[in-house]
Amino acid sequence: MRFDPWSPEFVAYPYDAYAELRQRPVTFFEPTGQWLVARHADVNALLRDRRLGRSYLHVATHAEFGRPEEPPFLDPFWRVVRAGMLDVEPPVHTRLRRLVSRAFTPRMVEALRPKVASIATGLVEDFVARGGGDLIAEVAEPLPVTVIAEMLGVPEADRHLLRPWSADICGMYELNPSPETQRTAVRAAEEFSGYLSELARARRANPGDDLISALALVADGGDTLTEEELVGTCVLLLNAGHEATVNVTGIGWWSLFRNPAELERLRADHGLLPTAIEELMRWDTPLQMFERWVLEDISVGGVNIPRGAEVALLFGSANRDPEVFADPDRLDLGRTENPHISFGAGIHFCLGAPLARIELAESFGALLRLAPRMELATEPTWNPGYVIRGLTALETRV
Ligand code: HEM
């Protein structure tokens, strides 16, 4: 099996192809024009290297980078995406991240734990009362969606809109998105930003005890978010705040069902949960790849990569690198030396990592307690996406 991000077989099991790619420091991948980086040390170093960026537009035009102009119909999409911290670089990134980060410190999110625990328990109790079902639709999705929507103050009646908008926008993060994917993403970006502009206006006039109100009114040493930044930030938080957590939950349980001895080990000792969650995120990684633009010439393992090139950092491969992880293909829920890269590294390191860890601990914990004999009902199928990787459903019996 070769690196083929459009093949369902590869998406389901990319790890043999990664082992082959790790034989070399980089491999040029013609179909996307990117340099694939497969080793942990290189992925980790490049994420922290300021000669690379998620964008180049702060230092060069498209023409200067040898890239085509973006078609104007994509403007509404890029306006929203580039107004959030994930797709900008310093100094704008530093400013946006500082304004938002105080809501996400480990201490702030730890205070949310009782609330997260009670939402998780409620969802799992209903799930058990129904005799099981699709774990993704009934537990994995509603937990993080509810938590992030409550943090931001999105009214309950509107929350069903968030998943489809997010999925449509995230389609653009896959490799070579089709024209249909692009049009769908533009429509979602327009609707989502229109919705959030309205909500922010209402909160500015009539603030509540929520993050949209706090961000709308922020006056940090005279610094404020523009309307566009506020909307872009909320879109980012609402999307990033649930997509990967849903997929970690689904893939994580599927990994446990595929490793029954490890599942029994966890059932016998719930104290393993903290290392188990890190290991599940390492062993079958939800976000397989992140891209970076090369802003100044670099060298990776002796191969020169010039300014203007793009590298694709293969997180799923880094997480199975035998140079860093003993017996990397083995799922070991007690693994303590586990410097996995699933939350990234460097300035864009996941802002929501402490919150994600609490959500995962509470949902896995509630399922272990309340559904102690949960088993797989049907073999799951994978979504087509490779970059944002997840199962379509996980049918279970309790
Ligand atoms: C298990 C679940 C999660 C995983 C695996 C994950 C993973 C990641 C990764 C890999 C990045 C960095 C991307 C890059 O460097 O290009 C990132 C960034 C980010 N994540 Fe998460 N994430 C998760 C949950 C969350 C949650 C719950 C939130 C809640 C708000 C969140 C908010 C963010 C934000 C705002 C960024 C951008 C940070 C920046 O650009 O400075 N994530 N995430």
Side-chain angles (χ1 to χ4, degrees):
M1 165 71 58
R2 295 168 62 84
F3 182 83
D4 180 359
W6 300 283
S7 136
E9 292 76 30
F10 173 80
V11 170
Y13 193 81
Y15 300 107
D16 289 340
Y18 289 158
E20 205 273 315
L21 287 173
R22 283 193 303 269
Q23 304 295 315
R24 297 171 295 285
V26 290
T27 304
F28 190 72
F29 186 57
E30 201 76 50
T32 58
Q34 294 169 321
W35 292 91
L36 306 177
V37 181
R39 296 177 183 165
H40 187 284
D42 295 329
V43 171
N44 188 36
L46 294 180
L47 283 170
R48 298 163 194 272
D49 192 327
R50 298 293 305 283
R51 293 172 301 171
L52 294 99
R54 281 196 52 107
S55 171
Y56 53 80
L57 293 173
H58 57 305
V59 292
T61 62
H62 293 302
E64 282 163 354
F65 245 54
R67 300 280 148 185
E69 288 302 317
E70 284 156 1
F73 85 92
L74 284 177
D75 280 356
F77 171 81
W78 287 120
R79 253 202 316 278
V80 173
V81 167
R82 293 193 181 125
M85 74 184 88
L86 181 57
D87 281 277
V88 290
E89 291 295 308
V92 180
H93 173 267
T94 320
R95 196 183 124 246
L96 292 177
R97 181 148 175 147
R98 188 169 48 81
L99 288 173
V100 181
S101 62
R102 74 184 74 135
F104 287 91
T105 61
R107 208 163 59 91
M108 287 294 285
V109 296
E110 197 48 53
L112 295 174
R113 189 186 288 271
K115 178 104 188 216
V116 176
S118 103
I119 301 169
T121 305
L123 289 167
V124 173
E125 279 170 356
D126 292 350
F127 177 73
V128 170
R130 285 191 293 269
D134 177 9
L135 186 70
I136 293 183
E138 296 180 38
V139 179
E141 280 180 4
L143 176 64
V145 171
T146 307
V147 171
I148 195 71
E150 292 211 353
M151 267 183 99
L152 272 99
V154 174
E156 203 171 339
D158 300 336
R159 288 182 196 161
H160 66 280
L161 298 164
L162 300 176
R163 272 295 279 169
W165 277 335
S166 173
D168 289 348
I169 288 173
C170 287
M172 287 291 276
Y173 288 105
E174 296 304 327
L175 296 165
N176 298 353
S178 70
E180 177 57 25
T181 302
Q182 297 183 3
R183 275 191 299 276
T184 308
V186 168
R187 199 163 47 236
E190 279 170 338
E191 287 176 15
F192 205 171
S193 56
Y195 171 79
L196 284 167
S197 296
E198 285 278 303
L199 194 57
R201 240 191 312 277
R203 290 298 147 76
R204 207 174 260 128
N206 192 5
D209 182 20
D210 57 65
L211 197 51
I212 295 184
S213 300
L215 291 171
L217 297 171
V218 76
D220 182 69
D223 196 2
T224 51
L225 291 169
T226 64
E227 173 79 15
E228 234 167 51
E229 287 169 344
L230 174 62
V231 168
T233 298
C234 293
V235 168
L236 172 64
L237 291 174
L238 288 164
N239 290 357
H242 79 268
E243 280 291 343
T245 318
V246 174
N247 292 331
V248 173
T249 312
I251 301 173
W253 277 97
W254 169 224
S255 303
L256 292 171
F257 292 136
R258 282 178 287 173
N259 291 272
E262 287 299 291
L263 176 54
E264 283 319 308
R265 187 178 168 205
L266 181 60
R267 281 178 170 155
D269 178 7
H270 295 188
L272 277 178
L273 207 46
T275 51
I277 284 167
E278 301 303 314
E279 176 68 347
L280 292 168
M281 290 184 61
R282 179 195 74 83
W283 190 72
D284 206 0
T285 305
L287 297 163
Q288 285 282 327
M289 169 180 142
F290 282 92
E291 294 148 318
R292 290 291 189 271
W293 293 102
V294 179
L295 308 176
E296 291 172 40
D297 298 355
I298 55 168
S299 161
V300 182
V303 180
N304 293 326
I305 304 185
R307 172 182 158 97
E310 198 182 18
V311 293
L313 308 176
L314 304 179
F315 283 26
S317 172
N319 282 342
R320 295 273 190 125
D321 189 339
E323 292 290 321
V324 175
F325 302 99
D327 205 357
D329 294 330
R330 184 169 153 243
L331 180 75
D332 173 5
L333 299 184
R335 193 183 287 273
T336 45
E337 284 294 299
N338 193 349
H340 70 72
I341 210 112
S342 300
F343 284 120
I347 63 167
H348 292 286
F349 179 83
C350 179
L351 180 75
L355 177 61
R357 287 184 163 122
I358 289 175
E359 291 175 343
L360 293 166
E362 294 306 328
S363 80
F364 276 73
L367 283 160
L368 287 170
R369 262 191 338 273
L370 303 172
R373 277 179 298 280
M374 181 167 69
E375 59 182 15
L376 192 65
T378 27
E379 192 90 347
T381 50
W382 291 91
N383 290 327
Y386 161 66
V387 175
I388 299 177
R389 181 165 167 271
L391 300 172
T392 43
L394 190 66
E395 293 295 341
T396 61
R397 277 186 296 268
V398 298

